[in-house]
Amino acid sequence: MLQRRRVFDLTNTIMNYVFMVFLLFAGIYLLSFWFELKSEFISGIVVCVNVVAWTVTALSVMLVLIALFIAIADREPKWGTIIWCIVRMIICIALSIVIDVSSILVSEGVSVSL
């Protein structure tokens, strides 16, 4: 019982650090609107943001499933951690979509054909 919780808490801590890396990459991308950066660097940051976002999302889904398994086995759910995993997942997906859309708008522009 205690060993499962330690693994769960360690995984949650690692996911928090990976989420902070995601926010760092997103912040670097957002800084590119104020400072001129090379387009190759920006496209690399966009790729890094997408990879980290989908990694955080996939691991958060696994973490939620593990948390539910531990909650059922121990009859003591950790609702705060489960909710934080879901919120972290939603933030990653939403911010990744916003960065992708803004990257497309900035690099290719908007074309309207009638």
Side-chain angles (χ1 to χ4, degrees), residues 83-109:
I83 291 171
W84 171 238
C85 288
I86 293 170
V87 167
R88 184 173 50 211
M89 186 173 37
I90 291 170
I91 289 171
C92 283
I93 291 172
L95 198 55
S96 176
I97 290 171
V98 166
I99 287 175
D100 282 339
V101 168
S102 68
S103 176
I104 290 170
L105 288 176
V106 168
S107 65
E108 297 174 13

Side-chain angles (χ1 to χ4, degrees), residues 58-87:
L59 292 176
S60 292
V61 167
M62 291 174 29
L63 194 60
V64 167
L65 294 176
I66 291 170
L68 290 174
F69 173 73
I70 291 173
I72 291 170
D74 294 343
R75 293 182 181 90
E76 196 174 311
K78 293 179 122 184
W79 294 111
T81 307
I82 294 172
I83 291 171
W84 171 238
C85 288
I86 293 170
V87 167

Side-chain angles (χ1 to χ4, degrees), residues 6-105:
R6 284 184 184 163
V7 170
F8 178 72
D9 289 337
L10 177 67
T11 307
N12 191 34
T13 303
I14 292 170
M15 288 306 304
N16 285 333
Y17 286 126
V18 173
F19 182 65
M20 292 300 162
V21 169
F22 170 77
L23 291 179
L24 173 72
F25 284 140
I28 291 172
Y29 178 77
L30 293 176
L31 283 176
S32 72
F33 289 116
W34 286 280
F35 301 106
E36 188 174 341
L37 299 173
K38 292 185 178 185
S39 61
E40 295 86 18
F41 181 72
I42 293 173
S43 63
I45 289 294
V46 170
V47 169
C48 287
V49 163
N50 287 330
V51 167
V52 173
W54 290 110
T55 302
V56 167
T57 302
L59 292 176
S60 292
V61 167
M62 291 174 29
L63 194 60
V64 167
L65 294 176
I66 291 170
L68 290 174
F69 173 73
I70 291 173
I72 291 170
D74 294 343
R75 293 182 181 90
E76 196 174 311
K78 293 179 122 184
W79 294 111
T81 307
I82 294 172
I83 291 171
W84 171 238
C85 288
I86 293 170
V87 167
R88 184 173 50 211
M89 186 173 37
I90 291 170
I91 289 171
C92 283
I93 291 172
L95 198 55
S96 176
I97 290 171
V98 166
I99 287 175
D100 282 339
V101 168
S102 68
S103 176
I104 290 170
L105 288 176

